[in-house]
Amino acid sequence: MTEANPRISKAVIPAAGLGTRFLPATKATPKEMLPVVDKPAIQYVVEEAAAAGLDDVLMITGRNKRPLEDHFDRNHELESALERKGDGGKLAKVQESSDLATIHYVRQGDPRGLGHAVLCAAPHVGNEPFAVLLGDDLIDPRDPLLQRMVEVQEQHGGSVIALMEVAPEQIHLYGCAAVESTEAGDVVKVTGMVEKPDPADAPSNYAIIGRYVLAPQIFDVLRKTEPGRGGEIQLTDALQQLAADEKVGGPVHGVVFKGRRYDTGDRGDYLRAIVRLACEREDLGPDFRTWLRSFVAEEM
């Protein structure tokens, strides 16, 4: 780490989406608060940031997102009730979310895309590199992706994106990166990006997943980025400009992730994520796996 590449301490979590794929559950409840086993999805993301040493978290929110603030705040009435009952286990779980990090909030206002949401973080981030974590991707804590991305950024400067190889027929669901190999087996140089390309036009099968470590120059680029796919300001379009001209904000590298990722972006993947995580829990897994085997056998 050098003076030119200062230590990263800030994380930005865009959480202003309407969650329309989960209606009617998200009519009054933010999609980020939907439980994954017994914790809301957003807590897994904050835990990941904190585990990587990013203890200053900014959430980009919108209307009807107040439950996010309440969840990460202290609930003195509930804590007092649990103390009176002598229920130290539940008390610790309640207090855990409020002790994870220093969390700030800013409203996006108009839903103008991920790039615009990231731009809303500019006054808070200032002239420092920072991480962006999307709540639809949950990364298993046993596979420390974000820590590795921070290491790569501190080594090379510029920006770092998370990549995962997907089947060619699925690449149209993701942003896609054109890459060149480097001396590190899990690190590639990103030379170009395109948002959700047709499989025939995709430069690779490296999909961009929801983790970024960004140089602060991304803000200047986003301010000049015109709306792209879907009429929204795309973060991928801004990153493409950085990759095309390193003089703008340094190089763009990618960390190729081969670990465990839980996609909660649609209903089917959300259910699969719950099942996978429940099966791996020491307190729930043994009984749940036994029931699951029996259920599958009966259904087959």
Side-chain angles (χ1 to χ4, degrees):
M1 182 167 49
T2 67
E3 186 175 347
N5 299 326
R7 177 185 175 273
I8 299 170
S9 63
K10 295 179 179 178
V12 175
I13 303 177
L18 298 176
T20 54
R21 286 178 290 182
F22 283 85
L23 286 170
T26 50
K27 179 181 178 181
T29 301
K31 70 171 184 176
E32 296 84 5
M33 290 299 297
L34 295 178
V36 181
V37 188
D38 55 3
K39 285 192 296 190
I42 192 70
Q43 183 169 333
Y44 289 88
V45 181
V46 175
E47 288 173 349
E48 180 186 353
L54 311 185
D55 53 8
D56 184 332
V57 175
L58 176 68
M59 290 193 189
I60 311 299
T61 67
R63 293 188 62 191
N64 301 322
K65 298 289 184 169
R66 180 62 184 270
L68 295 174
E69 299 183 34
D70 291 340
H71 179 72
F72 291 102
D73 198 359
R74 298 292 298 273
N75 187 328
H76 296 287
E77 184 179 81
L78 176 58
E79 291 177 23
S80 295
L82 293 172
E83 285 179 350
R84 290 194 298 270
K85 291 181 179 180
D87 197 336
K90 289 182 181 177
L91 177 61
K93 289 182 179 180
V94 168
Q95 293 176 332
E96 181 183 14
S97 60
S98 58
D99 294 336
L100 284 171
T102 301
I103 303 180
H104 313 267
Y105 304 87
V106 64
R107 286 198 175 192
Q108 182 178 5
D110 296 328
R112 297 170 58 193
L114 176 58
H116 180 260
V118 171
L119 186 55
C120 291
H124 181 81
V125 169
N127 193 34
E128 303 176 25
F130 64 103
V132 174
L133 298 85
L134 305 189
D136 288 346
D137 284 330
L138 305 187
I139 304 298
D140 195 294
R142 294 167 293 183
D143 302 314
L145 169 63
L146 189 57
Q147 289 97 317
R148 178 58 175 150
M149 295 176 67
V150 169
E151 291 173 1
V152 172
Q153 198 282 334
E154 289 176 344
Q155 179 181 359
H156 296 285
S159 298
V160 182
I161 63 177
L163 301 174
M164 177 176 280
E165 290 189 80
V166 301
E169 60 271 19
Q170 292 183 321
I171 197 65
H172 71 283
L173 301 172
Y174 300 87
C176 177
V179 303
E180 297 175 351
S181 60
T182 70
E183 294 181 357
D186 64 335
V187 178
V188 293
K189 177 78 174 294
V190 177
T191 59
M193 280 163 279
V194 60
E195 182 68 20
K196 297 181 178 179
D198 291 331
D201 299 326
S204 74
N205 66 330
Y206 282 108
I208 303 170
I209 59 175
R211 297 294 181 272
Y212 309 81
V213 177
L214 302 176
Q217 289 85 353
I218 192 73
F219 296 129
D220 290 333
V221 177
L222 284 168
R223 292 185 183 100
K224 302 173 184 177
T225 300
E226 296 294 329
R229 191 179 182 94
E232 298 181 336
I233 298 174
Q234 297 290 347
L235 180 59
T236 303
D237 292 342
L239 283 166
Q240 162 64 25
Q241 294 186 50
L242 294 184
D245 185 359
E246 293 186 13
K247 295 179 182 179
V248 175
V252 179
H253 286 86
V255 171
V256 180
F257 183 60
K258 297 183 179 179
R260 286 156 285 200
R261 166 180 173 257
Y262 311 105
D263 185 354
T264 61
D266 64 47
R267 291 169 296 175
D269 286 334
Y270 171 75
L271 293 173
R272 284 185 281 271
I274 292 174
V275 171
R276 290 172 64 187
L277 286 167
C279 284
E280 295 184 358
R281 286 268 295 262
E282 292 183 1
D283 57 338
L284 298 173
D287 288 342
F288 185 65
R289 288 194 299 269
T290 298
W291 173 85
L292 191 60
R293 292 189 190 99
S294 175
F295 175 76
V296 172
E298 291 174 2
E299 289 298 307
M300 294 298 288

